[in-house]
Amino acid sequence: MYRTHTCGELRIDHVNTEVTLSGWVQRIRDLGAMSFIDLRDRYGITQLVVDENTDKAIADQLDELGREFVLQVKGLVRERSSKNKNIPTGEIEIALNEIKVLSAAELPPFTIQDDTDGGDDLRMKYRYLDLRRNPVRENLVLRAKMAHAVRSYLNAKDFIETETPVLIKSTPEGARDFVVPSRMNPGEFYALPQSPQTFKQLLMVAGFDRYYQIVKCFRDEDLRADRQPEFTQIDCEMSFVEQKDVLEMFEGLTRHMFKEVLDVEVTEFPWMPYSEAMEKYGSDKPDTRFDMLISDITETVKGKDFVVFDSAEYIGAICAKGCAEYTRKQLDALTNWVKRPQIGAKGLVYVKCNADGTFKSSVDKFYSEEDLKLWAEQTGAEAGDLILVMSGDRKHMLDALGELRLEMANQLGLRDKNVFKPLWVVDFPLLEWDEDSQRFYAMHHPFTAPKPEDISLLDTDPGKVRANAYDLVINGVEIGGGSVRIFNADLQAKMFDKLGFTPEEAEAQFGFLMNAFKFGAPPHAGIAFGFDRLVSMFAGEDTIRDVIAFPKNNSGRDVMIDSPAPIANAQLDELNLKLDLKEKK
RNA sequence: GGUGGCGUAGUUCAGUUGGUUAGAAUGCCGGCCUGUCACGCCGGAGGUCGCGAGUUCGAGUCUCGUCGUCACCGCCA
């Protein structure tokens, strides 16, 4: 038996018990004739004590030990003469009578403590050491707890957890696929699923009625702090439901998780049309923890001989509360910020609403106090506020104002990680025009149903068709999304036609699905949550890497196992593959 | 594919206008210490300034290239 107790469980009640503990050496404090060892495992830290006068042999053993050695120790629990109120085991210590080194340890490249001295890449390379640290381990414990909460909620609602295949086939829509060569079928490839989309729809055709899965998905696209090449979704589908039924069910799931895991009650989720999100927040994933809404002041500001505004398609503004005192330096910094290529604005106009009721703007030459007063009324600005104005083409400026809004909120500390504001964004456009390829793409995916009242627009004005699609957004993060699906073979065929597929192409790519719809498909709808993002939000982390046990870096590499890696020629040969690497410029 | 930040001791970082022998903290090693718990005190070791070219009398510092890493845009539900 390696241990009778863990390093986190002994208390004052255990005094005079003979115990055996196993764990890692956190730290040794050598006071001369007396030494203390902090022994750590996942449950906590227990102090071991050795007195050189009474235990000379054991004291000598301490010289051999170092940080992160794995020990098995035996001894008697006793009350400390000076207690540590900061840790749960702080009232007791173990007077050792035996130390056994189970495993020696080299000096770790960074110290295993809550505030580590290790940088990100070093921590990634030695991820198994990083995982010994409390904050990282706690994130993964949280993740396990959340997965458990998902299962208990959905199981109680009669959802059937079903696995779907990982080796499937590549399809032209959506993200780039990861592909896997098939040895038994020379020249052919599997693809890893971007999501189990078609399979869950087929499960509905199969009459499963309610399906879910916590499942890995794969997308071969460039990475971000919130994007990994393999990531986890809570994937769900339901039959005989309308949009409202799905939103209620998954609002319930979300609220259940907040309550179970964080003990947080969240309010009912408002529904916001996509068009409103874009116009008021400049984003399809609005952060509603704060207002600072975008105002369209195009009509108000035109016609005063300010050529920049007069020639602009759109002029929009936000009001930053209490920022009238911003200095020239701060305003210049903001201007430079919006002029960066990532935002791409031409400039920034400001209006300071002074405490005395007067206005000071960067366009005083063109606008009177009376004019500026109108701006203030329209943007809801009061004395002490700062109005920030941008002009240009509508789509681009809404986007830029949305980014500026978030930046100002950051500067003003309005994005509190402990406040959660969920909402549903609904009525997304069904199709999106792509200039490069001169064709429509499905904004969600090709199986999304148009709103019934918009179906007639499919032939006349496809870009105007709204979809029965919805996103769950919390604090400006897209947590999940889904849609009511097409369940009629004819309508599905029409969709493929609008997306530029010939009937033959549609048949070759998705014939199995349209075929299935001919055998009695129930109306159905579904949703998928980005599990990693949800966990990182609950954990208060900025990147999903912090809630994944073994994540990949920015370039899609696992620096611990050093993957991806070349394979042997024999392997390539077996797969009938030859490399033709392109020269780097 | 693009824009920007970073790369200096095991680690986290500082390093002035380009100027003598590149510093701090922490960790590590040695010594002392019986109530520590981020123990304390004394001493010591530890550097290809990512790599390569260039400018210069002189480069950690400036320029170009390259590699790595991070953030973002494009891309991606």
Side-chain angles (χ1 to χ4, degrees):
Chain A
M1 189 171 52
Y2 280 110
R3 60 184 177 189
T4 57
H5 299 77
T6 69
C7 295
E9 82 177 282
L10 294 171
R11 297 289 184 275
I12 193 79
D13 306 342
H14 295 91
V15 165
N16 285 326
T17 318
E18 281 288 345
V19 298
T20 307
L21 298 180
S22 292
W24 285 260
V25 173
Q26 177 70 33
R27 184 174 278 109
I28 301 173
R29 289 179 295 278
D30 180 359
L31 271 59
M34 174 180 252
S35 291
F36 299 98
I37 302 170
D38 287 340
L39 195 69
R40 182 196 76 236
D41 64 14
R42 97 172 225 225
Y43 305 95
I45 283 181
T46 297
Q47 176 168 286
L48 317 175
V49 59
V50 177
D51 189 330
E52 192 176 86
N53 295 325
T54 55
D55 305 298
K56 184 74 172 80
I58 294 177
D60 287 345
Q61 267 186 285
L62 296 190
D63 295 340
E64 312 299 316
L65 305 183
R67 285 195 289 137
E68 302 305 318
F69 272 52
V70 182
L71 306 182
Q72 182 192 41
V73 299
K74 294 182 180 179
L76 188 69
V77 181
R78 75 181 186 205
E79 188 172 359
R80 292 198 198 181
S81 62
S82 61
K83 294 177 181 172
N84 184 346
K85 294 278 190 286
N86 298 319
I87 60 172
T89 59
E91 290 193 285
I92 55 95
E93 65 195 356
I94 314 296
L96 293 191
N97 47 46
E98 189 183 329
I99 293 182
K100 190 171 161 192
V101 175
L102 297 176
S103 189
E106 285 185 17
L107 202 62
F110 55 90
T111 49
I112 313 299
Q113 57 193 32
D114 292 3
D115 295 313
T116 183
D117 56 1
D120 282 347
D121 40 350
L122 200 65
R123 290 171 46 204
M124 286 278 233
K125 183 169 179 187
Y126 299 93
R127 186 65 169 173
Y128 45 88
L129 296 181
D130 201 27
L131 289 166
R132 289 181 187 171
R133 297 172 49 239
N134 290 320
V136 186
R137 191 192 58 247
E138 281 161 11
N139 283 346
L140 287 156
V141 171
L142 177 78
R143 186 183 176 107
K145 229 170 141 178
M146 289 176 71
H148 184 84
V150 169
R151 290 200 166 93
S152 71
Y153 179 89
L154 293 175
N155 289 344
K157 302 283 188 188
D158 281 333
F159 281 77
I160 305 173
E161 183 171 11
T162 311
E163 289 169 272
T164 51
V166 169
L167 295 174
I168 63 169
K169 82 170 173 183
S170 185
T171 55
E173 293 288 296
R176 208 172 281 120
D177 286 312
F178 281 101
V179 296
V180 180
S182 168
R183 176 183 55 81
M184 288 189 287
N185 302 275
E188 296 190 313
F189 297 82
Y190 299 101
L192 306 182
Q194 298 173 26
S195 82
Q197 184 60 34
T198 50
F199 289 96
K200 65 177 175 176
Q201 290 190 248
L202 292 168
L203 287 171
M204 294 303 105
V205 176
F208 272 45
D209 194 75
R210 289 179 171 197
Y211 142 91
Y212 84 96
Q213 186 180 188
I214 297 177
V215 62
K216 272 285 175 74
C217 301
F218 306 86
R219 289 177 191 158
D220 186 8
E221 297 292 347
D222 286 4
L223 308 182
R224 292 285 191 281
D226 62 349
R227 273 168 24 193
Q228 285 271 300
E230 53 177 306
F231 60 100
T232 305
Q233 284 192 343
I234 308 168
D235 192 52
C236 305
E237 198 77 6
M238 303 168 76
S239 289
F240 304 116
V241 289
E242 297 173 334
Q243 172 167 307
K244 183 165 178 285
D245 303 310
V246 178
L247 300 199
E248 276 172 8
M249 177 66 72
F250 288 94
E251 185 168 326
L253 170 65
T254 311
R255 193 173 283 121
H256 172 79
M257 294 178 76
F258 271 109
K259 182 69 194 156
E260 281 293 297
V261 179
L262 294 183
D263 198 24
V264 165
E265 304 272 1
V266 284
T267 53
E268 284 205 5
F269 301 6
W271 292 23
M272 184 186 295
Y274 171 84
S275 55
E276 182 185 335
M278 296 307 291
E279 276 164 36
K280 298 289 184 193
Y281 297 88
S283 168
D284 62 356
K285 42 182 200 300
D287 189 340
T288 52
R289 281 174 294 187
F290 60 99
D291 289 331
M292 212 193 292
L293 302 186
I294 298 169
S295 306
D296 179 348
I297 58 170
T298 309
E299 295 310 317
T300 313
V301 304
K302 285 208 177 200
K304 301 282 177 181
D305 296 329
F306 182 41
V307 69
V308 173
F309 282 181
D310 284 355
S311 63
E313 179 197 359
Y314 171 90
I315 300 119
I318 58 173
C319 164
K321 288 280 163 203
C323 293
E325 302 297 317
Y326 262 41
T327 60
R328 179 59 188 262
K329 197 176 167 189
Q330 283 174 297
L331 290 165
D332 284 349
L334 273 182
T335 306
N336 286 332
W337 189 85
V338 301
K339 283 164 109 170
R340 286 182 315 145
Q342 280 87 344
I343 305 293
K346 290 281 197 300
L348 186 65
V349 167
Y350 67 82
V351 181
K352 290 178 172 182
C353 306
N354 296 325
D356 61 7
T358 62
F359 299 96
K360 168 76 191 126
S361 84
S362 52
V363 287
D364 283 345
K365 217 193 288 182
F366 302 95
Y367 296 94
S368 67
E369 287 274 317
E370 285 304 307
D371 293 332
L372 297 177
K373 199 174 169 197
L374 269 181
W375 297 22
E377 275 167 22
Q378 214 168 339
T379 55
E382 298 167 327
D385 296 349
L386 176 71
I387 305 171
L388 297 166
V389 185
M390 280 195 269
S391 67
D393 70 279
R394 181 187 160 81
K395 197 167 175 295
H396 187 194
M397 282 310 107
L398 283 173
D399 194 54
L401 282 162
E403 294 292 339
L404 181 63
R405 176 177 175 270
L406 294 177
E407 172 62 18
M408 289 310 295
N410 283 336
Q411 292 191 12
L412 296 170
L414 301 176
R415 304 182 78 189
D416 184 345
K417 280 184 179 175
N418 298 310
V419 172
F420 298 99
K421 290 285 185 189
L423 75 151
W424 293 107
V425 176
V426 298
D427 298 348
F428 278 80
L430 182 70
L431 301 166
E432 217 171 7
W433 180 254
D434 181 66
E435 282 296 333
D436 292 343
S437 53
Q438 289 288 302
R439 56 159 279 204
F440 281 106
Y441 277 88
M443 192 161 181
H444 187 57
H445 55 52
F447 317 109
T448 299
K451 288 181 99 68
E453 63 266 36
D454 287 3
I455 286 184
S456 60
L457 286 170
L458 263 180
D459 292 316
T460 55
D461 193 356
K464 282 261 168 17
V465 178
R466 290 167 303 162
N468 262 327
Y470 33 80
D471 274 1
L472 173 63
V473 174
I474 307 177
N475 294 0
V477 177
E478 181 199 325
I479 291 296
S483 62
V484 175
R485 323 297 187 192
I486 296 168
F487 65 103
N488 169 289
D490 292 338
L491 183 55
Q492 187 64 66
K494 183 167 192 168
M495 265 300 286
F496 285 129
D497 179 51
K498 290 293 160 203
L499 294 172
F501 286 67
T502 65
E504 293 73 30
E505 286 167 343
E507 176 60 30
Q509 295 294 342
F510 299 107
F512 65 94
L513 184 68
M514 287 190 289
N515 220 24
F517 286 170
K518 292 174 185 163
F519 291 96
H524 58 286
I527 193 167
F529 282 15
F531 188 55
D532 311 280
R533 288 184 188 175
L534 193 59
V535 178
S536 66
M537 173 168 293
F538 273 45
E541 298 286 0
D542 294 322
T543 154
I544 64 171
R545 284 194 289 267
D546 292 335
V547 298
I548 295 173
F550 298 104
K552 293 179 177 53
N553 75 7
N554 238 12
S555 334
R557 298 201 68 86
D558 181 326
V559 294
M560 183 181 67
I561 66 170
D562 195 22
S563 75
I567 58 173
N569 281 329
Q571 281 176 291
L572 285 172
D573 196 47
E574 200 167 48
L575 296 165
N576 298 287
L577 295 179
K578 271 207 179 79
L579 296 182
D580 181 17
L581 298 179
K582 296 194 175 58
E583 284 289 321
K584 284 189 100 177
K585 277 185 268 182

